[in-house]
Amino acid sequence: MGSEKPKIVAFCCEESGMPAYEHAKSLGLPLPDALKVIALPCGGKAETGYIMKALDEGADAVMIFACYEGNCKYVQGNIRAKKRVDYLKTRLESLGILPEKIAFCPVAPASGARFAEMVQEEVQALDSRENKS
Amino acid sequence: MSTQMNSVLRLPESLTPEIQEISIAPVVAVPTDHPAGLIMADYLASMGLKVTLIHPFETVGAILETLNEEFVIDSAVEERFLALIARVEENKNISVLNNTRVSGGKGWWGDFSLLVDGEKEEALKASGIAFAYRKQAVVKKPFENDAIIGFREFSALLLKGKESITPTGKALQKLAFVLDLGKRDEKWASMTAIKLGTYLKKAFGVQVSILCRELKVSSDGMEKAYREAREAGVIIYKYLDEPQFEGGASLSINFRDTSFMSDDNPLDVSLEGLDLVVLQESFVTAEDEKALLDGLHIGLEGAYVAPNNPQFAGRTSRKGVVAAGNSRLPETLADMETTALAAAEELYQWTGNGTYGIDVQRVAEVDPSKCATCLTCYRICPHHSIRIEPYGERNVYITKGEKEGATWEAARVLVETCDGCGLCVSECPAKAIQLIYYPDMDVYGFLKENL
């Protein structure tokens, strides 16, 4: 399956992240081969368990694509997701995992370019971290 | 790098399409004090629904008073609305409750009750609710001065012509918009200030300054408008602390600007000799609307869900309740009419056919043996479709009449109103809730296989 690195798991809100991913693909923007995309009905569905499981299975980074604040179809799903990610980051440190491995990324459904850009930023961040160590 | 190889887990289509028909009586209530309510009532009644129009005035015609306050109307518009009033009064499907205030509401889609006139007992039954209330615009002036006005007043002045642009009678030469004094997340004010500012600068050479905490460029066409404004010579400042106003013969504003230098190194700016200062208004929710929203567990932010998909124009966070009118944001007359029709159409889809097919797979389900009755899901559900109810044994829910034999209470998801968003699933500390169509194992399995 192409190059196996870097393994990025993207949890995508059905209302914003998924359309943005489709858009990025239809524009032919470069996305890493090993990007795993998981659709969720709402960004707020990205459970702690999902994120931890992804890291446990060997993901290099986990990204949660949700709607911008105030745009959630379910009123506060995106805010929930953001809070969960922020909390998880504080816990990851004590587990010896880099908190930078998870990222909350608000995205608009029609901005495939932004989607691809954020994934590329994550790839570059991973590369630079790898080079350092 | 290529774009073909990503593995994707999509939301499953319903496992075995299991559609349950529920009966919804075509009866709706329209509590309103806004012309948008009349539009909705007229549309719903013309589609054959039984409509109860509830408003606090002596006559239906009094609702039109808001029309003059909010919009500048000509005779054609007035005629159209008078015809609307006549239609509403004549239509046999509409029963009008004059002089009636809403004091609360409860229930679920298909079974709402509206409490009116402060009474707790006598409730008005309806399957769906479409409401539209006016919002009162409040200008928080630092001190009394005719040259300090709100956006709404300013628009009215502009529409009258250039001569009367300042209320003090002076010709307009220096103008300042001050935004973000109250609520900071409203995009409309940035948009309006930039567009009006550009227009005034270009057409009349007015010196325009815009003061804001942060310029919100995320709305449609805003970046272009912003660029145009900068090119036309509109000056945009960002302040951190609240600007100080000084009155007297010539109006001036003092503040620390952070747009020019950095946040740590602000620049003291003083705008002097202003002919007019336009302040962003704050909007106060009507009391009836507040009572309704509280009763229905919608809350102010849930009332006007701004989903990415504009086709759900009138949706609130609850199924069977739609909103229109300037309950949302200040909007033009055309916008108001379109939103009202869209909201009415939305409610018609839900309540107009007598029955409604529900995909009973596409919902969350509680395992009552695990439920700790912590009320987390009850509080978090955006559709308010989780109740705490007695169960007999595992997965057997006891109806109200049989409450005697109940063994324990646990959360129960109302299949009719659940939208399957999964927020409760991800927040449940006891892991007692699962989405039937998209169980956790799907995601875990995918992660195991693909990583």
Side-chain angles (χ1 to χ4, degrees):
Chain A
M1 272 181 67
S3 68
E4 283 302 310
K5 281 252 164 184
K7 285 181 192 168
I8 295 181
V9 177
F11 289 105
C12 292
C13 167
E14 182 68 9
E15 303 292 326
S16 59
M18 276 317 274
Y21 166 69
E22 302 288 354
H23 191 219
K25 259 182 73 176
S26 69
L27 290 177
L29 296 170
L31 291 170
D33 282 347
L35 177 74
K36 317 287 176 206
V37 179
I38 299 176
L40 297 172
C42 173
K45 181 70 174 64
E47 290 176 32
T48 328
Y50 292 180
I51 301 170
M52 294 308 285
K53 181 73 178 175
L55 291 174
D56 184 37
E57 295 285 351
D60 295 311
V62 178
M63 303 176 79
I64 291 122
F65 289 95
C67 303
Y68 282 102
E69 212 162 295
N71 274 7
C72 183
K73 187 182 170 192
Y74 304 107
V75 188
Q76 47 170 329
N78 50 356
I79 301 170
R80 287 268 151 193
K82 186 169 189 299
K83 281 189 176 165
R84 202 173 299 139
V85 168
D86 287 348
Y87 170 74
L88 205 52
K89 279 186 178 179
T90 63
R91 305 313 296 166
L92 281 185
E93 245 174 349
S94 62
L95 290 171
I97 303 172
L98 268 181
E100 288 85 45
K101 279 193 164 189
I102 52 176
F104 177 81
C105 313
V107 69
S111 56
R114 183 82 188 110
F115 183 94
E117 195 183 309
M118 283 197 279
V119 173
Q120 288 307 333
E121 276 169 20
E122 195 66 32
V123 172
Q124 279 164 15
L126 280 172
D127 283 351
S128 68
R129 251 181 275 149
E130 216 161 71
N131 292 340
K132 258 185 206 170
S133 60
Chain B
M1 299 237 175
S2 74
T3 53
Q4 286 102 46
M5 305 290 284
N6 307 138
S7 16
V8 180
L9 176 65
R10 286 175 199 285
L11 288 193
E13 297 295 312
S14 205
L15 308 169
T16 48
E18 200 180 315
I19 304 295
Q20 186 185 309
E21 289 276 329
I22 57 162
S23 66
I24 298 278
V27 181
V28 292
V30 183
T32 185
D33 66 355
H34 191 276
L38 293 178
I39 299 174
M40 291 196 286
D42 178 47
Y43 177 85
L44 290 165
S46 72
M47 299 301 278
L49 278 78
K50 289 262 172 265
V51 181
T52 313
L53 185 74
I54 306 162
H55 69 92
F57 305 117
E58 295 284 336
T59 61
V60 183
I63 299 177
L64 281 194
E65 277 172 23
T66 32
L67 210 57
N68 301 320
E69 275 175 32
E70 253 185 78
F71 315 108
V72 180
I73 49 169
D74 54 27
S75 54
V77 176
E78 205 172 332
E79 238 166 65
R80 194 162 81 234
F81 273 89
L82 287 177
L84 174 69
I85 291 273
R87 275 208 303 282
V88 169
E89 278 175 340
E90 276 166 24
N91 201 320
K92 287 195 181 71
N93 282 338
I94 304 179
S95 49
V96 182
L97 292 180
N98 295 328
N99 273 327
T100 313
R101 301 203 82 97
V102 176
S103 53
K106 57 186 179 187
W108 282 262
W109 175 45
D111 185 23
F112 284 112
S113 334
L114 277 183
L115 305 175
V116 289
D117 282 336
E119 283 181 32
K120 294 268 176 277
E121 298 297 316
E122 232 174 282
L124 200 124
K125 292 275 178 201
S127 298
I129 296 173
F131 69 90
Y133 280 100
R134 57 173 102 174
K135 270 193 166 49
Q136 203 189 342
V138 180
V139 188
K140 234 178 78 190
K141 294 186 181 186
F143 45 81
E144 207 43 53
N145 192 322
D146 287 345
I148 303 180
I149 57 173
F151 269 88
R152 196 173 270 185
E153 213 178 317
F154 186 53
S155 320
L157 275 176
L158 278 182
L159 283 161
K160 279 183 201 157
K162 202 215 165 190
E163 284 75 24
S164 54
I165 273 179
T166 52
T168 46
K170 256 164 70 180
L172 185 62
Q173 285 171 337
K174 272 184 157 185
L175 165 72
F177 291 99
V178 184
L179 314 180
D180 305 338
L181 285 176
K183 226 177 154 191
R184 288 170 61 180
D185 55 350
E186 285 177 355
K187 292 170 191 161
W188 66 267
S190 301
M191 190 72 161
T192 318
I194 287 223
K195 287 197 166 168
L196 282 183
T198 316
Y199 164 72
L200 288 171
K201 176 81 190 171
K202 277 187 180 165
F204 304 114
V206 178
Q207 188 186 323
V208 182
S209 320
I210 299 175
L211 281 72
C212 58
R213 276 188 218 269
E214 53 214 3
L215 203 71
K216 289 154 277 289
V217 288
S218 58
S219 33
D220 269 2
M222 189 59 176
E223 281 179 48
K224 188 163 168 265
Y226 173 72
R227 209 162 50 238
E228 268 176 25
R230 293 307 287 251
E231 280 163 11
V234 173
I235 310 170
I236 295 164
Y237 298 102
K238 282 170 83 177
Y239 63 86
L240 285 178
D241 310 320
E242 245 177 54
Q244 299 300 313
F245 294 83
E246 264 173 48
S250 82
L251 206 56
S252 65
I253 310 177
N254 301 310
F255 60 97
R256 316 197 79 183
D257 171 47
T258 57
S259 66
F260 187 59
M261 311 294 272
S262 66
D263 275 12
D264 315 321
N265 193 5
L267 191 72
D268 283 323
V269 178
S270 178
L271 296 176
E272 283 169 0
L274 293 166
D275 299 318
L276 189 65
V277 174
V278 181
L279 299 184
Q280 178 176 349
E281 297 125 330
S282 43
F283 289 88
V284 181
T285 311
E287 240 167 65
D288 288 28
E289 185 181 1
K290 227 177 206 166
L292 188 68
L293 293 179
D294 282 355
L296 293 174
H297 293 258
I298 291 177
L300 284 180
E301 54 181 11
Y304 311 109
V305 184
N308 288 319
N309 195 338
Q311 80 189 39
F312 306 135
R315 266 194 191 181
T316 67
S317 66
R318 291 201 62 185
K319 225 176 195 175
V321 185
V322 294
N326 79 343
S327 300
R328 288 167 169 268
L329 286 174
E331 47 188 5
T332 60
L333 185 64
D335 278 351
M336 185 271 279
E337 290 182 87
T338 342
T339 324
L341 279 179
E345 173 71 21
E346 184 89 26
L347 192 62
Y348 174 72
Q349 303 287 351
W350 279 332
T351 52
N353 300 318
T355 57
Y356 196 93
I358 290 168
D359 186 349
V360 290
Q361 299 275 347
R362 214 169 179 81
V363 295
E365 188 183 48
V366 181
D367 178 353
S369 62
K370 285 184 186 169
C371 178
T373 336
C374 68
L375 301 180
T376 304
C377 52
Y378 174 85
R379 281 181 289 135
I380 208 166
C381 179
H383 304 284
H384 199 60
S385 67
I386 296 183
R387 281 194 272 191
I388 308 298
E389 292 189 351
Y391 282 80
E393 50 192 279
R394 209 190 127 94
N395 275 342
V396 178
Y397 152 72
I398 288 189
T399 50
K400 273 176 192 160
E402 298 173 67
K403 203 170 180 179
E404 303 293 305
T407 38
W408 73 85
E409 291 206 324
R412 173 174 173 257
V413 177
L414 281 147
V415 177
E416 309 90 74
T417 51
C418 178
D419 212 354
C421 66
L423 280 181
C424 53
V425 182
S426 56
E427 294 285 335
C428 178
K431 293 265 164 262
I433 317 180
Q434 283 286 317
L435 284 180
I436 299 179
Y437 75 107
Y438 197 30
D440 283 348
M441 285 325 290
D442 280 16
V443 176
Y444 290 139
F446 175 85
L447 286 171
K448 200 162 191 175
E449 264 173 42
N450 288 285
L451 281 172

